[in-house]
Amino acid sequence: ELKVEQNPLFLSMQEGKNYTIYCNYSTTSDRLYWYRQDPGKSLESLFVLLSNGAVKQEGRLMASLDTKARLSTLHITAAVHDLSATYFCAVGPGNFGNEKLTFGTGTRLTIIP
Amino acid sequence: EPEVTQTPSHQVTQMGQEVILRCVPISNHLYFYWYRQILGQKVEFLVSFYNNEISEKSEIFDDQFSVERPDGSNFTLKIRSTKLEDSAMYFCASRPGGRNIQYFGAGTRLSVL
């Protein structure tokens, strides 16, 4: 059974600081997704990482994938308040057809002014 | 921008009652999914649907659950006899052929009393 673990579960950080969220998964997969969820809202796709060494950046967020270590990171640079949300990583099974996603536990990020 | 639409946003029901949660996926998408998220927990896969049939389902998706795409636009999740533990946020998602990203609706919060 595929397991996806994120850490930390909760992260409180000051504006302007940098931090990294980690996502480990238990089986071979080269499809890794990052989603953002605001309270009571849906899941917004942030990044899709499809190969070993993939790196994607959007604004203050950068995601990377190391399939050999089964690890993805989401790095936040110079955090601002509107990045406060819960961030989920999710792993696809490698079967392109079904693409059932297995989600991590989520990291609740709070940016303090 | 096209989006996945879910109705109702909140459904309250008595234990043992049947509920139908409705979703209108993005119009040219081919793959459809239901996920659920119990309050404070991670998002869990329920079922995937392609070419008018279930392609995969989780252990959660037992005989009390069914899905249907009755008219080529709507995608419904039915729970025949709701239990207290069915209380959760239910998300519908859809994906186009040839692309990896699943697009999520805003969710239906189901409260079983």
Side-chain angles (χ1 to χ4, degrees):
Chain A
E1 179 191 343
L2 172 59
K3 291 186 180 173
V4 183
E5 294 182 351
Q6 280 180 245
N7 69 83
L9 298 183
F10 298 94
L11 177 56
S12 182
M13 54 191 291
Q14 286 187 313
E15 279 190 328
K17 300 289 188 184
N18 305 331
Y19 210 82
T20 301
I21 299 170
Y22 298 88
C23 175
N24 291 90
Y25 53 96
S26 62
T27 65
T28 302
S29 175
D30 57 1
R31 302 187 204 284
L32 193 293
Y33 305 80
W34 284 97
Y35 284 87
R36 167 183 172 144
Q37 185 182 38
D38 291 300
K41 305 285 185 170
S42 185
L43 296 151
E44 175 192 353
S45 175
L46 294 175
F47 300 108
V48 182
L49 303 167
L50 299 177
S51 61
N52 187 39
V55 177
K56 290 200 174 175
Q57 181 160 8
E58 180 75 32
R60 300 174 188 274
L61 301 178
M62 182 173 72
S64 66
L65 178 62
D66 180 343
T67 58
K68 292 184 176 132
R70 299 176 186 170
L71 170 69
S72 179
T73 61
L74 180 67
H75 187 73
I76 303 145
T77 302
V80 292
H81 180 68
D82 62 8
L83 290 179
S84 296
T86 299
Y87 293 85
F88 290 94
C89 65
V91 178
N95 174 348
F96 186 77
N98 287 339
E99 205 64 6
K100 164 186 96 171
L101 296 180
T102 300
F103 282 82
T105 47
T107 296
R108 184 176 296 179
L109 174 65
T110 303
I111 310 295
I112 302 166
Chain B
E1 185 176 334
E3 59 182 24
V4 177
T5 306
Q6 289 186 245
T7 55
S9 56
H10 191 191
Q11 173 89 50
V12 182
T13 189
Q14 296 290 323
M15 192 169 56
Q17 294 296 305
E18 175 183 287
V19 294
I20 297 176
L21 309 183
R22 301 181 193 280
C23 170
V24 179
I26 296 172
S27 64
N28 61 344
H29 287 192
L30 301 178
Y31 299 87
F32 312 108
Y33 307 84
W34 283 100
Y35 293 82
R36 79 172 186 191
Q37 184 181 31
I38 294 171
L39 187 64
Q41 299 186 23
K42 65 180 178 180
V43 178
E44 301 173 289
F45 168 79
L46 291 178
V47 66
S48 58
F49 193 86
Y50 170 70
N51 201 25
N52 283 320
E53 61 183 24
I54 291 174
S55 43
E56 188 170 357
K57 59 184 181 181
S58 71
E59 292 175 354
I60 302 166
F61 195 88
D62 62 21
D63 291 345
Q64 293 300 313
F65 291 86
S66 62
V67 289
E68 196 176 38
R69 189 158 159 79
D71 55 12
S73 61
N74 291 284
F75 180 51
T76 61
L77 174 69
K78 182 193 289 187
I79 309 174
R80 269 181 263 284
S81 178
T82 49
K83 303 190 271 286
L84 294 175
E85 55 264 38
D86 293 328
S87 295
M89 181 74 93
Y90 288 80
F91 291 107
C92 173
S94 68
R95 177 172 77 84
R99 287 204 68 201
N100 297 295
I101 301 174
Q102 292 182 25
Y103 295 83
F104 284 76
T108 293
R109 181 171 297 284
L110 177 65
S111 300
V112 182
L113 306 180

